[in-house]
Amino acid sequence: MTGRREAPLMRGGGASGQPLSRGSRIGAAVAVGVTLGCVCAFIYPDGLISRSPDSVIHWPRKVDLVACETPKEVANVKSQLASLERKNAEFRKQIDELSMKLQMAGHGKNQAMYSAGPFGTVKALRTNPTVMPDDSINPRLAKILEQVAVKKELIVAVANSNVKETLAMWFTNIKRVGISNYLVVALDDNVEDFCKSKEVPVYRRDPDEGIDSIGKTGGNHAVSALKFRILREFLQLGYSVLLSDIDIMFFQNPFDHLYRDSDIESMSDGHNNMTAYGFNDVFDEPSMGWARYAHTMRIWVYNSGFFFIRPTIPSIELLDRVARRLSREPKSWDQAVFNEELFFPSHPGYEGLHASKRTMDIYLFMNSKVLFKTVRKDAQLRKLKPVIVHLNYHPDKEARMKAVIEFYVNGKQNALEHFPDGSE
């Protein structure tokens, strides 16, 4: 009923039924709107759409939280940027090092320039990159090395039937120490069968008329010369080799004492710090008067019967150089040629080998001169336990090898006493 009475008013009719003017109708509409607004404001003080108390309470807190976290986020972004910059610098350094290694290996001979660091901080690269392994060189040997080597490293000895008894002492001591990554390269069927009967890892090379004739009948020097040709395949397959003559006794695992920072690590024939590691020697020529004294640098030779060689381009070049010279100079001593190729510098008419090298500790990798002339007579040095002892200075090898075992393994303190310093 109320709606029916209000309808004429809303349509523009007055209470008396007389039509309202346009201005009156607008004024009436405004009045009705204001009245309805006041009524709603009185009934719904919080508004027609109510907000939960929680939202009202927490809204300012959310604003405050965002404002508090913003500095932390900025700091975090800055930290991430700094970390990325450091990593980028490390990557650039690695790229520079790899580029330089490629240059040293002969694969990137461009004119790239490198900036030096501050005074006293510059250090050149020592370690050449390893070659890319090529199993196609010798698939049969590659399969053997996969089973024998540890971390792509192994001890290798080359032997024929002439040294069977000494060979037995050699691998018996290796087994006693607990070394598993070793291999005998047999130069004849007899040695191959002997190793197999003793459960010793053995590799019999494929027939090679030239090498086999020497390997089967040759003496120590002839057999020693072959190792440079034989080792080449090991390096091409990507393996580092610790080459060992068989007149060597093992007392510790040698792989625990290698630096691996050079192409060649070799034991020395030197018998003290000067001769093994180098010294300034003065040459005196009185006829020169005021200039009679000339300074020279000297070092005793590396022993070609015990050295660690990494699979690098300079290492393979060294083997090639020595093998080539020995084939042309059959009367040359392999150790002399080995050292000449390793140490002689470039000069007119000759390009020297660019190989890095390290001399092994003479009291850990001990030759028999050091042992019999110095160590056995020194109370403190006698207490040291060597990694290996090489009976390279004495021809009565088997007798001295047995005595060395008695001294270092069985603790017999007088086992070395009855031997002279040198050979009789």
Side-chain angles (χ1 to χ4, degrees):
M1 296 297 290
T2 305
R4 291 182 182 272
R5 287 196 299 269
E6 290 178 351
L9 178 63
M10 297 298 295
R11 288 193 299 266
S16 62
Q18 298 297 323
L20 296 174
S21 66
R22 181 178 180 84
S24 299
R25 290 198 301 270
I26 293 173
V30 171
V32 171
V34 171
T35 302
L36 289 175
C38 293
V39 172
C40 290
F42 179 79
I43 298 174
Y44 303 104
D46 294 329
L48 294 175
I49 303 175
S50 64
R51 183 181 294 119
S52 64
D54 289 341
S55 63
V56 174
I57 293 173
H58 289 291
W59 174 254
R61 292 188 181 181
K62 288 182 179 179
V63 174
D64 293 341
L65 184 61
V66 172
C68 292
E69 286 183 350
T70 299
K72 293 182 179 179
E73 290 179 353
V74 171
N76 186 38
V77 170
K78 289 182 178 179
S79 176
Q80 291 178 1
L81 287 174
S83 177
L84 289 174
E85 288 177 355
R86 287 194 298 269
K87 290 182 179 180
N88 190 33
E90 291 175 2
F91 287 145
R92 286 198 301 267
K93 182 179 178 181
Q94 292 174 4
I95 290 172
D96 288 343
E97 290 179 353
L98 288 173
S99 178
M100 185 176 292
K101 288 179 179 180
L102 286 175
Q103 285 185 323
M104 296 174 68
H107 298 297
K109 292 185 177 179
N110 52 33
Q111 299 298 319
M113 302 297 290
Y114 298 90
S115 59
F119 179 81
T121 65
V122 178
K123 187 175 182 180
L125 294 175
R126 303 296 197 270
T127 308
N128 283 310
T130 57
V131 299
M132 183 176 296
D134 184 2
D135 290 353
S136 66
I137 295 297
N138 191 331
R140 186 167 65 88
L141 177 59
K143 186 175 181 180
I144 294 174
L145 295 180
E146 287 180 1
Q147 299 171 349
V148 174
V150 175
K151 296 180 179 179
K152 306 285 282 189
E153 299 175 342
L154 75 160
I155 301 171
V156 173
V158 181
N160 62 12
S161 297
N162 294 339
V163 292
K164 187 186 295 186
E165 186 175 349
T166 309
L167 176 63
M169 296 178 65
W170 180 83
F171 62 65
T172 298
N173 274 277
I174 284 183
K175 289 182 177 181
R176 178 184 53 78
V177 175
I179 302 170
S180 61
N181 51 329
Y182 69 100
L183 181 70
V184 175
V185 177
L187 298 179
D188 56 54
D189 296 335
N190 196 352
V191 169
E192 180 184 18
D193 295 338
F194 176 65
C195 289
K196 288 181 178 179
S197 68
K198 300 297 183 180
E199 297 183 345
V200 171
V202 62
Y203 164 64
R204 179 75 165 94
R205 298 183 70 257
D206 292 333
D208 186 310
E209 184 176 351
I211 291 182
D212 287 350
S213 62
I214 300 174
K216 291 178 180 179
T217 60
N220 289 343
H221 285 300
V223 171
S224 183
L226 294 179
K227 62 195 176 191
F228 297 98
R229 291 183 59 180
I230 293 172
L231 289 182
R232 193 186 204 278
E233 290 185 343
F234 287 78
L235 269 58
Q236 285 181 281
L237 293 171
Y239 289 84
S240 297
V241 174
L242 183 57
L243 189 281
S244 172
D245 281 354
I246 59 172
D247 58 343
I248 291 176
M249 298 289 96
F250 289 79
F251 302 100
Q252 299 185 60
N253 191 326
F255 295 104
D256 295 336
H257 300 273
L258 297 176
Y259 285 81
R260 300 173 179 85
D261 63 348
S262 304
D263 297 307
I264 306 289
E265 290 183 58
S266 179
M267 72 172 298
S268 172
D269 273 1
H271 60 93
N272 55 28
N273 287 350
M274 286 179 56
T275 57
Y277 308 138
F279 64 103
N280 183 356
D281 188 33
V282 179
F283 176 77
D284 184 9
E285 190 176 4
S287 63
M288 288 297 295
W290 175 82
R292 63 183 290 180
Y293 300 111
H295 289 259
T296 68
M297 301 307 300
R298 296 187 61 185
I299 184 173
W300 286 29
V301 296
Y302 282 176
N303 191 290
S304 62
F306 192 86
F307 59 85
F308 179 71
I309 185 166
R310 296 176 59 251
T312 66
I313 293 297
S315 296
I316 295 175
E317 183 182 357
L318 172 65
L319 298 179
D320 289 351
R321 285 181 176 223
V322 176
R324 187 182 303 112
R325 278 191 57 185
L326 293 175
S327 66
R328 295 196 309 258
E329 309 165 16
K331 294 184 179 180
S332 295
W333 183 25
D334 68 284
Q335 179 161 293
V337 174
F338 174 72
N339 279 272
E340 288 171 3
E341 294 297 336
L342 195 55
F343 283 96
F344 281 178
S346 298
H347 55 263
Y350 176 79
E351 184 178 353
L353 179 71
H354 297 271
S356 57
K357 45 197 173 289
R358 168 181 284 274
T359 305
M360 292 177 171
D361 188 315
I362 61 173
Y363 295 110
L364 291 179
F365 299 91
M366 192 184 302
N367 62 56
S368 56
K369 183 175 183 178
V370 173
L371 174 61
F372 285 96
K373 185 179 179 180
T374 305
V375 171
R376 66 170 176 168
K377 302 175 184 179
D378 188 290
Q380 295 300 320
L381 293 177
R382 285 169 65 94
K383 298 177 183 179
L384 296 177
K385 184 179 181 181
V387 176
I388 61 109
V389 172
H390 189 182
L391 275 297
N392 60 315
Y393 269 101
H394 300 89
D396 50 339
K397 296 183 183 297
E398 293 181 5
R400 291 187 186 246
M401 288 172 72
K402 292 177 181 178
V404 171
I405 294 298
E406 288 293 325
F407 182 78
Y408 283 111
V409 177
N410 300 326
K412 189 176 180 180
Q413 295 300 304
N414 62 348
L416 306 176
E417 291 181 359
H418 66 281
F419 292 98
D421 288 354
S423 57
E424 296 178 343

